[in-house]
Amino acid sequence: MMRWRIGDLQGTIIAGTGGSSGSTSTRLNNPMGITLDQWKNLYVADSSNNRIQLFCSGSTTGITIAGQTNLTFPHDVKFDSQMNLYVSERSGAQVSKFNKL
């Protein structure tokens, strides 16, 4: 994942390892949807790894907070007003709810 600021000539990698996919805590494989929480933590639907990765603000190391056994190709992530996490699954044809962390 890259962050681009207006006027920048190039982006800054903020999650994953540029040009290299994988399943370690610093790599992503086919990231799809992303969302930020109020503290600027990044949540990534890491689709081909069937997981949701949390990248705390300022960290390039992710933490798996959902999936690997109960998600099928997660496509997008969103929060409700209570900070419950909702994950849409492309292959599972469903939306899963994960209670507030």
Side-chain angles (χ1 to χ4, degrees):
M1 310 297 309
M2 293 190 81
R3 175 182 63 213
W4 289 82
R5 294 184 183 197
I6 295 173
D8 283 354
L9 297 177
Q10 58 187 14
T12 302
I13 295 175
I14 58 168
T17 303
S20 180
S21 63
S23 60
T24 65
S25 61
T26 58
R27 295 186 181 214
L28 299 169
N29 192 353
N30 198 18
M32 298 296 282
I34 64 169
T35 194
L36 292 170
D37 65 18
Q38 61 189 349
W39 302 281
K40 306 284 189 227
N41 298 313
L42 177 68
Y43 299 79
V44 180
D46 188 11
S47 296
S48 292
N49 286 322
N50 297 311
R51 66 185 181 181
I52 304 302
Q53 288 292 92
L54 161 63
F55 292 87
C56 293
S57 183
S59 177
T60 56
T61 301
I63 302 164
T64 301
I65 61 166
Q68 290 187 310
T69 59
N70 58 345
L71 290 176
T72 306
F73 203 76
H75 188 74
D76 202 7
V77 290
K78 300 289 184 220
F79 286 106
D80 65 15
S81 62
Q82 304 298 310
M83 291 298 293
N84 296 305
L85 183 69
Y86 292 83
V87 179
S88 64
E89 298 177 60
R90 191 167 130 195
S91 294
Q94 65 187 17
V95 175
S96 298
K97 177 184 177 183
F98 297 89
N99 292 327
K100 182 179 177 179
L101 300 173

